Amino acid sequence: MISAQGLADALAEAVSRTSELAPAVLFAATVVEYVFPPFPGDVVVLLGAWYAVEGALSWPVTFLSVTAGAVVGAWIDYRLGAAIGLRIDRRAAVRSPQWELRLARFEASYRRWGAWLLLANRFLPGIRAFLFYAAGASGLPLRKVLLYGAISAALWNAVLLAVGALAVENVDELVRLFERYTHLAWTAL
């Protein structure tokens, strides 16, 4: 298994070789993180901060690339959740009235509290994609889902870019810091 540092080194090499394509690399990596949650997209955002500090990328382009990638990834997850939700609804109707009632209660609960979960999604590593699946399956309006997801991504990306700028002198320490954060967040969850 590749270490976070090994991945950071590989991504740094990719971004340095792609120079003008670096924003597209950051965008794509952020989309992939949403669709495949184990992918360490936060490391990519930190690398974006590093390149912005070094002058290889502009701050606004870096921020917009990773935030737009998050919104596109959320859209994909939402659409997958909506498709899965239709299948689950059909199976629940056939399975039993109790199963259908439980599913209806979950959907009603998610419609009530889902906005708060979506606003916090970026701060919940490992489960953020599933929050968008649930939003799609529950039938939350796509516009609201993407708005809440964009707000959360913008806040998170601003924090990561700021931390990256402060710690640009020591990339190794920064990677360890976010590995610890992810571990602590998983433990708390």
Side-chain angles (χ1 to χ4, degrees), residues 164-181:
L166 292 173
V168 74
E169 295 299 319
N170 193 347
V171 174
D172 296 335
E173 185 59 35
L174 189 61
V175 168
R176 281 193 294 279
L177 171 72
F178 280 93
E179 284 176 341
R180 287 184 203 131
Y181 166 76

Side-chain angles (χ1 to χ4, degrees), residues 59-154:
W59 284 104
V61 169
T62 301
F63 178 77
L64 289 174
S65 296
V66 295
T67 302
V71 172
V72 170
W75 178 81
I76 292 169
D77 289 343
Y78 177 92
R79 290 293 183 200
L80 290 171
I84 292 168
L86 292 173
R87 293 176 122 183
I88 291 172
D89 286 344
R90 283 193 295 257
R91 286 187 181 170
V94 172
R95 200 168 187 180
S96 75
Q98 275 189 329
W99 182 257
E100 195 171 14
L101 182 62
R102 286 184 192 140
L103 184 59
R105 273 189 277 184
F106 169 79
E107 288 175 352
S109 179
Y110 201 83
R111 280 198 250 11
R112 182 175 181 193
W113 299 105
W116 293 106
L117 291 170
L118 293 169
L119 282 169
N121 85 81
R122 283 302 302 167
F123 299 88
L124 303 170
I127 66 166
R128 65 182 66 108
F130 303 110
L131 297 174
F132 290 101
Y133 285 125
S138 298
L140 287 175
L142 178 60
R143 286 183 183 172
K144 285 185 177 180
V145 169
L146 294 181
L147 174 65
Y148 298 143
I151 291 169
S152 183

